[in-house]
Amino acid sequence: MERIYVCNTGSDSISSINLPDLSSNSILIKNNEDPVGPHGICLWNDYLLTANNYNNSLSKISIKDNRLISYYIGAHCNDVKTYNQLAYIVCGEGNSILVFDLEKEKIISEIPSGNYPHSIEINQLTGLGVIANMESDCITVIDCNENKALFSYKVGEYPLKAMFSQNGQYIYVNESKIGSEERGCLRVIRVNNQLTSEKVITVGKYPVDFCLDEEKEVGYVTNFGEGSISIVHFIKGEIKRILVGGMPRGIIKVKNSIFVGDNLGDRVLKIDINKKVIIPVGKEPNGMTYYSDKSIIN
């Protein structure tokens, strides 16, 4: 069994898309009338975790039976990723990462970041995490083994996402330049004894998210401001731009397909080499994650 889970910020729900038939259903993640605003999503064991913008919480949803538990975390939760039994939640208005023990169900640490952190990614091999800080135009590298910030590194304007390569030797940063007339960039930074900016690849207008295919040395970038996807080669630069319409945000690659959330059209687009399939979801799709139940033979 394979699925893609999509946060629908505007409808307080998660869309579960079954692969390969692309059927979908909705999981509500609210217990009362107050808006929740799920924005970032990740997996932990047999649970989905969502970072919720509007009620400042972390939700834990059972994949098996949709059972929901929510925890108050802090101001404006933008994203969440896990390392071992710990969840690292980005608090945009608190300028910090709150570390939540999922087994003990309590906050155990707070790690300072730059101004208005937007996203976090953690390299499971090294235990290092990287945060994109929108308003201070920098990334923060943290040690998840010690739960402390290591250093910050200045990048371009309004970075929305940063990610380590699988081997930990590179960091990729999505510089959105929101509010300007300039096109955005994907920056490639080498990690050695110090960080060194190796390449800046120009993409479309207001890039907000990206995913990587490291074997092919290629990245896929959603350009929110022009309804397109940039395909970039880490050495050659942008090699193709695909017009998809709407306001594309979240993006993931599963096998040979790209899945893109359209924040304006309330849909997910499945894009293959020769065709595009439209999958209706909830309002304002944002964060996305892929789930595979290895106990089931497909």
Side-chain angles (χ1 to χ4, degrees):
M1 182 185 298
E2 294 178 287
R3 298 175 187 165
I4 290 173
Y5 291 98
V6 185
C7 279
N8 302 309
T9 305
S11 55
D12 294 334
S13 67
I14 298 170
S15 290
S16 171
I17 302 172
N18 292 315
L19 304 179
D21 67 2
L22 303 183
S23 62
S24 66
N25 58 59
S26 183
I27 305 167
L28 289 176
I29 58 167
K30 60 190 304 183
N31 294 322
N32 53 42
E33 296 304 314
D34 296 328
V36 176
H39 188 271
I41 188 169
C42 73
L43 292 164
W44 179 70
N45 297 337
D46 289 324
Y47 293 92
L48 294 166
L49 303 178
T50 65
N52 305 316
N53 274 178
Y54 300 152
N55 72 346
N56 309 320
S57 71
L58 173 74
S59 291
K60 184 174 75 171
I61 306 101
S62 170
I63 290 174
K64 295 179 179 179
D65 59 12
N66 295 346
R67 185 169 60 91
L68 169 70
I69 303 175
S70 293
Y71 311 91
Y72 177 82
I73 299 296
H76 207 86
C77 299
N78 280 326
D79 199 11
V80 58
K81 293 295 183 295
T82 63
Y83 184 68
N84 297 327
Q85 84 280 10
L86 302 179
Y88 293 76
I89 304 112
V90 175
C91 291
E93 293 181 8
N95 297 333
S96 64
I97 310 301
L98 291 180
V99 185
F100 184 85
D101 191 312
L102 291 159
E103 293 179 349
K104 297 179 180 178
E105 299 184 310
K106 65 178 183 179
I107 294 170
I108 63 167
S109 185
E110 182 175 5
I111 306 172
S113 66
N115 292 336
Y116 210 86
H118 185 263
S119 69
I120 181 170
E121 295 289 338
I122 299 173
N123 185 298
Q124 300 296 318
L125 182 65
T126 64
L128 296 180
V130 60
I131 296 103
N133 303 299
M134 282 182 61
E135 291 187 354
S136 52
D137 300 339
C138 72
I139 58 172
T140 301
V141 176
I142 65 173
D143 184 343
C144 296
N145 293 297
E146 301 290 336
N147 287 332
K148 65 179 182 181
L150 297 178
F151 51 84
S152 293
Y153 182 80
K154 198 73 172 176
V155 295
E157 294 178 51
Y158 289 100
L160 291 180
K161 183 172 182 176
M163 179 190 297
F164 277 99
S165 61
Q166 289 185 353
N167 61 16
Q169 295 179 2
Y170 293 91
I171 296 173
Y172 301 89
V173 184
N174 187 12
E175 302 170 359
S176 69
K177 300 184 181 180
I178 287 177
S180 76
E181 292 304 313
E182 294 183 64
R183 290 161 60 187
C185 301
L186 183 68
R187 184 180 296 268
V188 183
I189 300 170
R190 179 180 287 276
V191 180
N192 208 325
N193 293 328
Q194 60 182 7
L195 300 187
T196 305
S197 182
E198 246 187 28
K199 192 174 185 66
V200 178
I201 303 169
T202 301
V203 293
K205 191 171 183 180
Y206 304 165
V208 296
D209 198 7
F210 67 92
C211 64
L212 304 176
D213 184 338
E214 293 189 60
E215 289 186 4
K216 296 181 179 179
E217 298 185 307
V218 166
Y220 302 87
V221 183
T222 53
N223 300 309
F224 185 81
E226 65 179 39
S228 70
I229 300 167
S230 291
I231 303 177
V232 300
H233 189 275
F234 302 152
I235 304 300
K236 299 175 183 177
E238 186 182 50
I239 56 178
K240 188 175 183 179
R241 200 178 303 181
I242 303 170
L243 184 65
V244 296
M247 294 180 173
R249 287 191 66 102
I251 184 169
I252 58 174
K253 185 175 188 292
V254 180
K255 298 177 182 176
N256 294 319
S257 299
I258 304 297
F259 292 83
V260 183
D262 175 10
N263 201 246
L264 179 66
D266 302 335
R267 58 184 184 166
V268 167
L269 305 175
K270 177 178 180 285
I271 301 173
D272 296 311
I273 295 174
N274 298 317
K275 63 179 180 179
K276 178 173 69 175
V277 178
I278 297 174
I279 309 165
V281 292
K283 295 180 180 178
E284 301 174 20
N286 272 299
M288 306 169 70
T289 194
Y290 167 74
Y291 171 80
S292 175
D293 185 348
K294 294 182 175 61
S295 66
I296 297 177
I297 299 176
N298 293 302

